[in-house]
Amino acid sequence: MVVVTGQSKVSGNPDDAMSSSDAEDDFQEPATPTATQAGQALPLLPQQFPEVVPLNVGGMYFTTRLSTLRRYEDTMLAAMFSGRHYIPTDAEGRYFIDRDGTYFGDILNFLRSGDLPPRERVRSVYKEAQYYSIGPLLDNLEDIQPLKGEKVRQAFLGLMPYYKDHLERIIEIAKLRAMQRKARFAKLKVCVFKEEMPITPYECPHFNSLRFERSESETKLFEHH
């Protein structure tokens, strides 16, 4: 069957005519991209990495071995460069990590040779180590100052019952005392009494009502503790 417009003359030349099948093709929806076409738009997985990896971390450039990034299997860096995930590259072909790179050099130094940062950068590097989930580095940093002192402090506060419950009240008292003395800060003494009776979280003790029957030597020891 030959389909022509009203303004066109019927021609016996098959090249001048459009068959019904051709007309239907003009009105068909675009076909779904094939796997080959899709591969041209999106990179194929798994991604392959060179032995020497150029990095762009938040605009700062680094170069390291692939084995260094994979030093510890359970870290984010090892997962990122395992080939299971796609890592974008910048205009120069460096693999881009959208993170502040100020302390990334300290991360690499630990992965390379176990070096730890100087004391003034411990807190900042610890934060980066948390982001990249580098457990061995976190453990090492927690054993040096100032994180070691903070770790001991938190452990001590964990032994003090109701400390967090009364912390806001303690701060209020300190502020009031500082204002009364027109000072920039105030010191408070917090007395902690060791209880031998079981106390639930719902039974805040009344220390003034407690009575202890001890010998003179035991009383001094108890007060010291």
Side-chain angles (χ1 to χ4, degrees), residues 36-57:
T36 303
Q37 295 172 336
Q40 296 175 355
L42 296 175
L44 297 176
L45 297 178
Q47 189 175 11
Q48 300 295 327
F49 298 100
E51 184 178 355
V52 178
V53 182
L55 299 171
N56 179 347
V57 184

Side-chain angles (χ1 to χ4, degrees), residues 80-185:
M80 291 173 63
F81 291 90
S82 64
R84 300 189 304 270
H85 308 281
Y86 171 68
I87 308 298
T89 57
D90 62 11
E92 302 298 329
R94 304 182 185 92
Y95 295 96
F96 181 73
I97 299 177
D98 193 9
R99 184 75 177 177
D100 187 355
T102 304
Y103 304 100
F104 191 76
D106 295 300
I107 298 293
L108 286 181
N109 287 337
F110 176 80
L111 294 177
R112 288 166 176 158
S113 55
D115 293 342
L116 298 176
R119 180 173 179 176
E120 61 270 16
R121 296 208 300 267
V122 166
R123 291 185 183 275
S124 298
V125 176
Y126 186 84
K127 182 178 180 181
E128 294 303 299
Q130 287 180 314
Y131 176 79
Y132 294 110
S133 302
I134 306 177
L137 177 55
L138 292 172
D139 294 338
N140 280 273
L141 293 177
E142 288 176 355
D143 289 335
I144 61 178
Q145 294 293 355
L147 294 182
K148 184 176 182 179
E150 181 64 22
K151 185 178 181 180
V152 173
R153 176 178 177 274
Q154 293 299 331
F156 173 73
L157 294 180
L159 300 176
M160 298 176 60
Y162 314 110
Y163 175 79
K164 293 183 178 180
D165 298 339
H166 298 296
L167 182 58
E168 293 184 3
R169 178 58 179 163
I170 294 174
I171 295 176
E172 291 178 1
I173 296 174
K175 287 182 178 180
L176 179 61
R177 182 171 297 181
M179 293 174 60
Q180 291 175 343
R181 299 181 179 181
K182 297 181 180 180
R184 296 179 58 186
F185 63 91

Side-chain angles (χ1 to χ4, degrees), residues 20-41:
S20 60
S21 60
D22 293 336
E24 292 175 357
D25 291 341
D26 289 346
F27 293 94
Q28 288 179 355
E29 295 183 358
T32 303
T34 62
T36 303
Q37 295 172 336
Q40 296 175 355

